[in-house]
């Protein structure tokens, strides 16, 4: 069980649902949407674009590390992918965990490989980049792209960047819950 286990009871999806309920209304610092809105928009964009269930799940939970480790905490931003992955690791397969773990690196990858990418980031996301590490060199980018699940992480990242629209209609968490329940490998 994760270190959050003593806060919650039930299955991992109950825990995730509790996180959405308890912390989901927090504003995503510097963005015009809440953490819940952001997560649901990201999951919905993945679903609409035909992503496999594992990637839809990763999109829904990609910032769980942010939500758990209060995002205001200075310096936490470069590590929230790893924190989220650690939280999810006992409960999901790599096809869910790895895109979450790699999504911050995917931003540094896209800055290096997509000429217009940085300019399309939200101002807050551009500002966070400074704390998330330098843009990748060509060699680092090639190494990153060859990692298992890197392409899924890059797709997640592109939906993540678009999932910041105030008022975008999305299904509720309950709509996605059966998909998450199916993917959980342990309670
Ligand atoms: Fe995000």
């Amino acid at each position: 069980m994760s270190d959050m286990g003593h806060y919650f009871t039930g299955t991992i999806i109950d825990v995730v649902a509790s996180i959405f309920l308890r912390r989901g209304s927090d504003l995503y610092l510097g963005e015009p949407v809440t953490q819940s809105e952001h997560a649901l928009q990201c999951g919905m964009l993945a679903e609409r674009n035909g992503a496999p269930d594992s990637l839809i799940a990763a999109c829904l939970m990609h910032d769980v590390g942010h939500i758990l480790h209060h995002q205001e905490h200075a310096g936490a931003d470069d590590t929230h992918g790893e924190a989220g992955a650690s939280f999810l690791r006992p409960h999901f397969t790599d096809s869910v965990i790895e895109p979450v773990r790699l999504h911050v690196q995917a931003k540094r990858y896209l800055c290096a490989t997509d000429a217009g990418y940085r300019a399309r980031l939200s101002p807050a996301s551009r500002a966070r980049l400074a704390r998330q590490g330098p843009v990748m060199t060509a060699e680092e980018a090639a190494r990153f792209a060859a990692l298992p699940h890197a392409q899924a992480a890059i797709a997640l990242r592109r939906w993540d960047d678009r999932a910041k629209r105030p008022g975008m209609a999305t299904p509720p968490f309950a709509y996605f819950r059966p998909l998450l329940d199916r993917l959980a490998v342990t309670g």
Side-chain angles (χ1 to χ4, degrees):
M1 197 57 176
S2 76
D3 60 351
M4 295 301 289
H6 60 286
Y7 280 89
F8 305 104
T9 54
T11 67
I12 179 62
I13 309 306
D14 291 329
V15 175
V16 171
S18 298
I19 293 166
F20 269 75
L21 276 176
R22 291 173 188 225
R23 302 296 309 272
S25 59
D26 292 4
L27 274 177
Y28 185 176
L29 200 64
E31 307 287 3
V33 290
T34 66
Q35 289 284 355
S36 263
E37 288 168 336
H38 176 61
L40 293 169
Q41 288 182 15
C42 195
M44 186 185 73
L45 289 167
E47 185 185 52
R48 274 194 190 163
N49 283 278
D53 286 357
S54 56
L55 185 49
I56 296 170
C59 285
L60 288 166
M61 300 188 291
H62 76 276
D63 277 340
V64 78
H66 246 165
I67 303 174
L68 290 174
H69 298 92
H70 302 213
Q71 60 175 345
E72 312 77 35
H73 186 263
D77 214 54
D78 53 344
T79 58
H80 78 271
E82 294 285 350
S86 300
F87 170 76
L88 297 172
R89 191 167 310 283
H91 308 289
F92 294 95
T93 61
D94 280 355
S95 58
V96 176
I97 297 160
E98 284 299 286
V100 173
R101 187 175 75 82
L102 296 173
H103 86 275
V104 179
Q105 292 181 56
K107 180 177 174 181
R108 297 173 47 231
Y109 169 85
L110 283 165
C111 284
T113 57
D114 178 340
Y117 177 77
R118 192 199 286 243
R120 291 195 302 272
L121 289 172
S122 68
S125 185
R126 249 195 321 274
R128 281 195 292 274
L129 185 61
R131 296 206 304 277
Q132 291 170 330
V135 170
M136 289 182 180
T137 64
E139 193 188 344
E140 287 168 336
R143 212 178 306 136
F144 178 79
L147 292 174
H149 308 290
Q151 297 313 310
I154 292 163
L156 185 161
R157 183 77 233 179
R158 290 191 182 280
W159 294 318
D160 181 8
D161 295 327
R162 289 167 53 200
K164 298 174 178 179
R165 293 182 203 164
M168 184 196 279
T170 67
F173 179 79
Y175 168 82
F176 290 107
R177 178 164 181 142
L179 177 149
L180 296 176
D181 280 325
R182 278 198 305 279
L183 287 167
V185 293
T186 70

